[in-house]
Amino acid sequence: MSVSSESMQIVTAVRSNLESCILGKTFEIKLLMTSLLAGGHVLIEDVPGTGKTQMIKALARSMEGVYRRVQCNPDLLPTDITGVSIYHPREERFQFRPGPIMSHILLADEINRATTKTQSALLEAMEERSVTVDGETHPLPHPFMLCATQNPIDFEGTYVLPEAQLDRFMMKLHMGYPDLETEKNLISANRVGQPADQLHAVTDMATIAGIQREVREVHMNDAVTSYMLGIVRATREHPSVLLGASPRASISFALAAKAYAFINERDFVLPDDIKELAPYVLPHRILIRPEARLDSLNAESLIRNLLAASSVPVSMGR
C-alpha cells in the first residue's frame, strides 16, 4: 500500500485545526493524533491550566464527533458514566438511559479524583468498546477514544490509577508550560473567547474510522518488530523493575508506531519511530522497585537507558 493523499490531507487539516488554538504544542498534538489513528486512549498528566481540556475539545470539534466531558470527583458513581436502566411503569419494563460514555470522544477530567470503583467502570469500555449494565451489553460508538487528565501535584482526595487501567492507555503525555512568546500569543488568541469554540469540523468520525483501517496496513518488518520487542522484553527482565510492560503494551506499541509512520507519510515503520514513541508508550506501564527509586531511577530514565543499550537494526523499509 501507499499512504493515501486524501487521508493525509484530512490528517493535516485536523492537526492544523488543533495547532491554531493550542499554540506551541506541535509534537504533543502529533502524539495525540497518533493515538487517535491507532485506535488508542490517552492519559494527559500536567498541572492545571496548560491546555489539556482545550486540546481534547478541539480534537472533537475538528472531527464532528460526539464529545462528552465528565468531571471526576469522589462521589461520581459508575452509572454516572456508563448509564443506568430506569423502570417505566407504563411500559412495564426497564429502559437503558445511556451515560456520557456513549460518545466518540470522552474526556475524563481529573480521573484520579474518581474512586477506584468508578475508574473500573471504564475498563470494559477501553478494551472491549462496550459497557454492560444490568447484564446487558451495549456497544459504544465507533470509533471511541477515552482521553483522561490528571494533576500530578495535588494528592488530596485522589486515587492512584490501578495498573490494569494504566496499561489500557496507549500513551501518557505531558503538556508543559509554554515559552514566553507562545504565552503572549495565547493571551492575544483568547481576547474573544476560547479558540477551540471557534473551530469548524474538517472531517467526520466515519472518515477517521477509514483512516484507522489504513493505518493497520502500514508495514512493520521483522527487524523493526524484533527491535521493538527487545525493548519491551528488557523492561520485564531488568533487575530494578517490579512490573514490566505487558503483551498488551507490545500490541499498542506496534499500532502506535504504524500510526506515527502514517502521519509522517510513510507506509512502513522505521526504528526511529520506535525510539521516538517509547518514552510515551512504555513508562506508565512499568513499576520500579522501591529500592531502585531511592537511587533516583524512574520509569522514564529506565526507558532512556534501554534505548541507549539497544542495537538499532540496519534493515529498514520493506
Side-chain angles (χ1 to χ4, degrees):
M1 66 161 277
S2 60
V3 176
S4 164
S5 59
E6 292 83 0
S7 297
M8 279 310 307
Q9 288 174 2
I10 292 169
V11 172
T12 302
V14 174
R15 287 179 63 185
S16 298
N17 243 16
L18 268 63
E19 290 170 7
S20 70
C21 60
I22 310 297
L23 306 180
K25 300 298 175 185
T26 302
F27 185 63
E28 289 77 8
I29 289 170
K30 186 177 183 179
L31 292 176
L32 179 67
M33 289 296 299
T34 297
S35 190
L36 170 71
L37 298 184
H41 310 291
V42 172
L43 176 63
I44 309 176
E45 182 181 81
D46 221 314
V47 295
T50 50
K52 303 184 294 294
T53 302
Q54 284 299 302
M55 184 165 71
I56 305 307
K57 184 178 180 180
L59 177 66
R61 279 185 171 272
S62 298
M63 302 182 299
E64 215 172 28
V66 178
Y67 166 72
R68 297 286 185 271
R69 177 179 177 272
V70 175
Q71 182 63 50
C72 297
N73 50 62
D75 62 357
L76 188 73
L77 299 175
T79 51
D80 293 332
I81 296 177
T82 61
V84 64
S85 294
I86 298 176
Y87 184 71
H88 286 258
R90 182 179 298 176
E91 300 181 12
E92 297 184 348
R93 66 184 181 89
F94 284 92
Q95 184 175 354
F96 176 64
R97 178 173 291 179
I101 203 166
M102 290 296 173
S103 56
H104 292 110
I105 296 182
L106 175 66
L107 172 61
D109 220 353
E110 295 187 297
I111 190 173
N112 55 334
R113 289 194 175 278
T115 62
T116 52
K117 183 177 182 180
T118 302
Q119 290 174 12
S120 66
L122 296 168
L123 294 179
E124 179 187 359
M126 295 175 76
E127 190 71 13
E128 282 84 26
R129 264 56 173 191
S130 63
V131 292
T132 302
V133 178
D134 294 334
E136 186 175 352
T137 300
H138 306 273
L140 300 181
H142 178 72
F144 169 75
M145 181 182 191
L146 173 66
C147 300
T149 70
Q150 66 177 12
N151 185 345
I153 62 171
D154 188 0
F155 299 107
E156 188 73 26
T158 61
Y159 301 83
V160 177
L161 295 183
E163 288 76 17
Q165 185 159 20
L166 284 171
D167 197 31
R168 283 168 166 80
F169 285 104
M170 178 171 281
M171 291 191 198
K172 182 179 179 181
L173 311 182
H174 300 273
M175 297 291 285
Y177 288 120
D179 58 39
L180 177 61
E181 195 61 35
T182 300
E183 199 158 4
K184 286 181 181 178
N185 294 333
L186 280 172
I187 294 173
S188 299
N190 281 268
R191 285 180 302 179
V192 292
Q194 294 178 340
D197 294 332
Q198 316 302 321
L199 292 180
H200 298 287
V202 295
T203 186
D204 54 42
M205 299 309 294
T207 303
I208 295 298
I211 297 176
Q212 287 178 341
R213 290 191 292 271
E214 288 183 52
V215 164
R216 289 180 174 268
E217 298 300 319
V218 171
H219 181 69
M220 187 168 173
N221 68 23
D222 289 343
V224 176
T225 302
S226 298
Y227 174 58
M228 182 199 75
L229 289 177
I231 298 168
V232 172
R233 296 179 69 85
T235 66
R236 306 169 192 166
E237 299 162 1
H238 198 283
S240 298
V241 175
L242 184 63
L243 177 68
S246 68
R248 183 192 285 122
S250 302
I251 296 170
S252 291
F253 202 168
L255 288 173
K258 290 182 177 185
Y260 196 71
F262 187 92
I263 288 176
N264 285 311
E265 301 187 46
R266 280 184 277 104
D267 63 350
F268 57 91
V269 178
L270 292 175
D272 283 348
D273 300 326
I274 304 298
K275 292 177 68 175
E276 290 177 26
L277 289 177
Y280 306 97
V281 175
L282 296 178
H284 64 282
R285 308 171 189 265
I286 298 170
L287 281 181
I288 302 295
R289 294 186 182 277
E291 57 271 24
R293 291 202 299 269
L294 291 175
D295 292 332
S296 301
L297 180 70
N298 56 35
E300 288 78 10
S301 59
L302 173 74
I303 295 301
R304 286 196 297 269
N305 295 340
L306 293 179
L307 287 171
S310 301
S311 56
V312 180
V314 177
S315 175
M316 294 181 292
R318 291 186 174 277

